[in-house]
Amino acid sequence: MTADRTAASASAASVSAPATSAASRAELIADTALGLLAERGMRGLTHRAVDEAAGLPLGSTSNHARTRAALLKAAVRRLAQREAEVLTPDEMPRSAEAAPDGADPVAELADGLSLALHRSLTAQRELLIARYELALEATRRPELREFYDATGRGFREPLEAMMTALGSTEPRRHARSLVAWCEGLMFSCAAGADHDAVPDRATLRTGFTELLRGMLNE
């Protein structure tokens, strides 16, 4: 049993964000929950399991998130934070107005999106698996569905604004199409038929460029 717990702790830690002395207990609990979701699935996520894998005194997770629903919401919130950190501020795609003279705004956006997606596919595969566990659970829990969808809007709305700046006549539909394309690749590479064949960044950049130019009729 001790060996099993040690292995579980190591696996959860591999998915967790890099530990620092300043990391809050709330982040540690949420990161460990994401690690357990990736390793064991939804049935393996319990308050006690989080305490054990995180090396916390028993009852710590319950004090932070009293119910299972609260623990799942904390995991979704942390997932959104970590996915949003895939690009540093200076790596974010620039708007058409902010691009230097002569720059191609479509190429700028395609480059930024390809970098973000490639990092997700190569460095955050375990996070993607946890993400799909949470998405499926949200189909059974209305309160989690509402919370999960709200975090998703935080990604779609900036993309809609970028599409508007590029001159899209249907920015909402085009943004959703881009998200759907990304979602398809992420699922395929994390859990589907292409799990052992992640596209390189150049291939992803080409795909984004084709999609964007097609949407903008260029």
Side-chain angles (χ1 to χ4, degrees):
M1 179 66 73
T2 300
D4 290 343
R5 290 180 181 176
T6 300
S9 299
S11 178
S14 70
V15 184
S16 299
T20 67
S21 59
S24 70
R25 178 167 291 193
E27 286 184 350
L28 173 60
I29 287 171
D31 284 331
T32 304
L34 291 171
L36 289 170
L37 284 170
E39 180 204 358
R40 303 179 183 178
M42 193 59 63
R43 293 180 65 181
L45 178 64
T46 66
H47 288 72
R48 184 183 184 89
V50 173
D51 287 339
E52 291 176 349
L56 294 172
L58 292 181
S60 298
T61 300
S62 294
N63 287 335
H64 171 68
R66 289 287 182 183
T67 65
R68 183 170 179 80
L71 181 58
L72 291 172
K73 287 182 178 180
V76 171
R77 185 183 300 110
R78 183 63 176 150
L79 177 68
Q81 291 173 346
R82 290 178 61 180
E83 288 183 335
E85 293 168 356
V86 71
L87 292 181
T88 62
D90 63 329
E91 292 173 326
M92 292 293 290
R94 287 174 290 189
S95 65
E97 295 81 3
D101 292 341
D104 181 350
V106 170
E108 290 263 338
L109 181 55
D111 190 61
L113 293 175
S114 68
L115 177 58
L117 183 55
H118 189 258
R119 283 180 177 166
S120 294
L121 296 175
T122 56
Q124 295 188 337
R125 182 177 179 276
E126 291 83 1
L127 269 186
L128 291 178
I129 295 173
R131 181 189 216 257
Y132 296 128
E133 290 283 349
L134 290 165
L136 288 172
E137 187 67 10
T139 66
R140 309 177 190 102
R141 290 175 174 265
E143 75 282 4
L144 185 61
R145 174 85 275 166
E146 180 179 354
F147 191 76
Y148 187 93
D149 290 349
T151 62
R153 286 193 294 273
F155 293 97
R156 289 195 305 272
E157 290 172 357
L159 189 54
E160 287 180 29
M162 293 178 190
M163 293 306 299
T164 298
L166 286 177
S168 168
T169 57
E170 297 183 74
R172 187 169 187 269
R173 182 173 70 82
H174 288 160
R176 285 180 175 273
S177 293
L178 284 170
V179 170
W181 188 76
C182 292
E183 290 279 9
L185 271 175
M186 288 190 293
F187 181 83
S188 183
C189 292
D194 291 327
H195 63 90
D196 60 349
V198 175
D200 60 26
R201 188 180 168 195
T203 300
L204 295 174
R205 187 189 299 112
T206 298
F208 277 119
T209 300
E210 291 171 344
L211 286 169
L212 290 167
R213 296 205 188 284
M215 291 171 180
L216 299 170
N217 296 315
E218 292 188 359

